[in-house]
Amino acid sequence: MAHLEASNLFSVKERVVVITGGGSGLGRIMARALAINGASKVFVLGRREDALRETAAQAPEGIVIPVKCDITSKESLESAYQAVAEQTTHVDILFANGGILGPLMRSPDAHADGTPPSLTELRDALFNVPMEEFTRVLNVNVTGTYYTVLAFLPLLEAANKRRPAPQEGVLTPPSAQVVITSSIAGFVRKVPFSYAYNASKASTNQLVKLLSTNLADYKIRVNGLVPGLYDSEMANNIFVAHGHTTGGVSEGSFPKEMIPLTRGGSEEDFAGLIVWLASNSAGYVNGNLLVTDGGRMSVVPNSY
Ligand SMILES: NC(=O)c1ccc[n+]([C@@H]2O[C@H](COP(=O)([O-])OP(=O)(O)OC[C@H]3O[C@@H](n4cnc5c(N)ncnc54)[C@H](OP(=O)(O)O)[C@@H]3O)[C@@H](O)[C@H]2O)c1
């Protein structure tokens, strides 16, 4: 029964991984979790080299490799791809995780007496946001994600070519995988965090579906992560607003109307999901959107 032992089911040994947005937040958790558990190379991509180096410093020595990259530039993606290709023959998993929130674009709060904002107030608040800001969010979260996947296809294909030929009765190892970080914002619609962010994440959900269907012939799997609320540079202001400078992972940290499990997501919650998704036992997962939100998606229209 050795094949059912956790050490076999959840092994990520020797995996070669690329992570955009690896210099902070969820990308840093991904990098550390995979490096600590035996991945052989974890390339972390982002614009801030100091942040990428800090991720490397927090992982076992020599495993995490910083590569400067702006995912909104094809030239930058191409040179990052070349830098990775010089250091590995293949990539088993690409995490297209980099993203931005952009400015809040939502209806103003109700007045002190409880009356809702007038349509003029709503229009002013939303119309005052420069169009370029809306486009910037879509550009990073959708366009950048899409071109990131395209850029790394050859190295993902190379990973598939390394697999042994199928043998009757023997489980074939997992094929190469793309994992795109979406958000519950891509599903909720009553109270958007930001029209641009929510629309961008709905698009990344669709990208997961489109890419998983269209890359199926090449045996490149595509899955999506749908986080709720995790402390990170992007989300920290929500934690601070609720009096948590770090963490917020103990029950009772947030009202149940906001998150049914009353806490934020932890490093362990996310790392466990990542290790499983990168492991042999997730080899049959394809075209999926995996929600990790403590139940927040079902109540989010009521609260931030
Ligand atoms: N934290 C949450 O609660 C939560 C919930 C749902 C979804 N998400 C999603 O999770 C992903 C990671 O976000 P996070 O929460 O970990 O926030 P974060 O700490 O702000 O991380 C975002 C990362 O994206 C990178 N990035 C942004 N623009 C980039 C660009 N043009 N090129 C390359 N990299 C770029 C940033 O690196 P540089 O600035 O160095 O480039 C940064 O490391 C995002 O897609 C976000 O939408 C987060």
Side-chain angles (χ1 to χ4, degrees), residues 58-220:
Q58 291 184 20
E61 206 177 335
I63 305 297
V64 173
I65 303 159
V67 179
K68 192 173 179 193
C69 178
D70 181 341
I71 60 169
T72 62
S73 153
K74 272 173 78 173
E75 290 70 31
S76 183
L77 275 169
E78 186 59 39
S79 77
Y81 176 82
Q82 293 304 336
V84 172
E86 279 165 18
Q87 298 174 74
T88 179
T89 55
H90 65 283
V91 169
D92 296 298
I93 309 166
L94 165 68
F95 289 92
N97 163 76
I100 59 168
L101 179 62
L104 278 187
M105 294 174 214
R106 59 175 160 102
S107 309
D109 292 336
H111 294 281
D113 65 0
T115 51
S118 68
L119 196 58
T120 306
E121 288 168 329
L122 181 148
R123 181 189 189 270
D124 285 349
L126 296 178
F127 206 61
N128 277 342
V129 178
M131 222 182 242
E132 291 74 18
E133 289 294 322
F134 194 103
T135 306
R136 191 167 66 91
V137 175
L138 296 180
N139 193 32
V140 177
N141 295 357
V142 186
T143 313
T145 297
Y146 172 70
Y147 280 95
T148 300
V149 177
L150 296 182
F152 281 92
L153 288 177
L155 281 171
L156 291 163
E157 184 179 47
N160 279 345
K161 287 191 175 148
R162 296 175 78 244
R163 298 192 310 156
Q167 223 184 310
E168 178 67 28
V170 177
L171 176 63
T172 308
S175 58
Q177 182 180 195
V178 171
V179 180
I180 294 175
T181 308
S182 181
S183 167
I184 59 169
F187 291 97
V188 301
R189 58 185 176 153
K190 191 175 174 197
V191 183
F193 305 105
S194 144
Y195 277 91
Y197 184 74
N198 285 40
S200 77
K201 292 300 183 176
S203 295
T204 57
N205 291 342
Q206 174 71 338
L207 269 185
V208 170
K209 297 295 175 183
L210 288 169
L211 288 166
S212 62
T213 302
N214 288 285
L215 295 178
D217 280 352
Y218 306 93
K219 292 199 170 57
I220 294 174

